[in-house]
Amino acid sequence: DAGVIQSPRHEVTEMGQEVTLRCKPISGHNSLFWYRQTMMRGLELLIYFNNNVPIDDSGMPEDRFSAKMPNASFSTLKIQPSEPRDSAVYFCASSFSGGNQPQHFGDGTRLSIL
Amino acid sequence: EDQVTQSPEALRLQEGESSSLNCSYTVSGLRGLFWYRQDPGKGPEFLFTLYSAGEEKEKERLKATLTKKESFLHITAPKPEDSATYLCAVQGGTSYGKLTFGQGTILTVHP
């Protein structure tokens, strides 16, 4: 079975550029989560969607970050403009809704902002 | 605010040497406690969900247990392929869908 698919796997870009990360959740899952992982702060939830609707974006660090989910099989996380402190691994996860269902993660996008 | 603390930060074992990882948590109304395994360059891989104190789950050499304040991941006779970072996460009653993760325990099993 196909798991959560993220692209690109690696992204290197210069400060000030726009970055778009993409995610395809597991078919049938109706909750989608974006996380950021760093050595200092571990895994942090940025935003999550239920049935394509953003439920909680309190983890989004600032207005430079935005996320969309135009349909059940696709989501994007955009950073504009990017800064070196945004360098991290960004993970997407999906699950069935219902509160305590396990989330299944993609293999992440390693983002480096120079 | 939900909080998760994992210990130790790193654990080195010899192959066959059993041990336990700890996950202490504070949460308002536990909906679930989750254990994940993460290999370098990969996303976290789901292992177990525990829902209530006293519950136990097993998978191969791993056994997870839960009390009202902490969870343990017991590793019996580990093998080098069990080397990974093990993450614990909780979901509280007021945080629908949201997981709070601990910092993880880096496990290294030497042959």
Side-chain angles (χ1 to χ4, degrees):
Chain A
D1 290 342
V4 175
I5 299 172
Q6 293 186 244
S7 64
R9 289 296 317 278
H10 303 274
E11 176 86 12
V12 180
T13 192
E14 292 188 347
M15 181 175 63
Q17 297 297 306
E18 178 180 293
V19 174
T20 300
L21 311 182
R22 297 172 175 80
C23 175
K24 177 178 170 58
I26 292 172
S27 178
H29 283 184
N30 52 0
S31 292
L32 183 140
F33 308 82
W34 282 101
Y35 289 87
R36 179 170 65 178
Q37 187 175 42
T38 61
M39 288 293 293
M40 289 295 294
R41 300 176 67 91
L43 262 174
E44 299 177 287
L45 179 66
L46 300 177
I47 185 172
Y48 74 92
F49 296 83
N50 194 50
N51 293 322
N52 310 338
V53 175
I55 302 300
D56 184 350
D57 65 355
S58 60
M60 296 285 261
E62 45 195 281
D63 291 345
R64 297 184 296 105
F65 286 69
S66 63
K68 293 182 179 179
M69 191 164 187
N71 58 62
S73 59
F74 184 66
S75 178
T76 59
L77 178 67
K78 187 174 293 186
I79 309 172
Q80 167 63 20
S82 58
E83 297 182 3
R85 59 194 169 118
D86 302 330
S87 298
V89 182
Y90 291 80
F91 288 103
C92 176
S94 70
S95 73
F96 293 109
S97 63
N100 56 7
Q101 298 300 309
Q103 297 175 21
H104 298 271
F105 286 74
D107 282 337
T109 295
R110 182 172 295 275
L111 178 63
S112 297
I113 309 296
L114 306 178
Chain B
E1 184 178 334
D2 301 341
Q3 290 189 325
V4 178
T5 303
Q6 292 189 244
S7 62
E9 291 184 9
L11 181 62
R12 293 176 179 269
L13 300 174
Q14 288 296 125
E15 185 172 2
E17 179 187 3
S18 301
S19 188
S20 296
L21 314 182
N22 177 263
C23 171
S24 298
Y25 65 91
T26 55
V27 66
S28 176
L30 180 70
R31 295 177 65 90
L33 184 141
F34 302 82
W35 281 99
Y36 286 84
R37 168 193 171 126
Q38 187 173 22
D39 293 299
K42 298 287 189 178
E45 176 188 351
F46 170 70
L47 293 173
F48 304 109
T49 309
L50 301 168
Y51 296 104
S52 58
E55 189 175 1
E56 300 182 351
K57 290 203 176 163
E58 289 188 63
K59 179 180 179 180
E60 296 181 356
R61 294 176 293 281
L62 301 177
K63 179 180 177 180
T65 62
L66 181 65
T67 72
K68 290 186 178 180
K69 295 182 178 181
E70 57 192 350
S71 176
F72 291 94
L73 185 65
H74 306 277
I75 303 176
T76 302
K79 299 181 178 182
E81 53 262 43
D82 294 322
S83 298
T85 296
Y86 290 85
L87 297 165
C88 171
V90 296
Q91 186 179 93
T94 59
S95 55
Y96 183 89
K98 178 179 178 179
L99 291 182
T100 300
F101 280 86
Q103 288 287 90
T105 294
I106 302 170
L107 175 67
T108 305
V109 182
H110 296 283

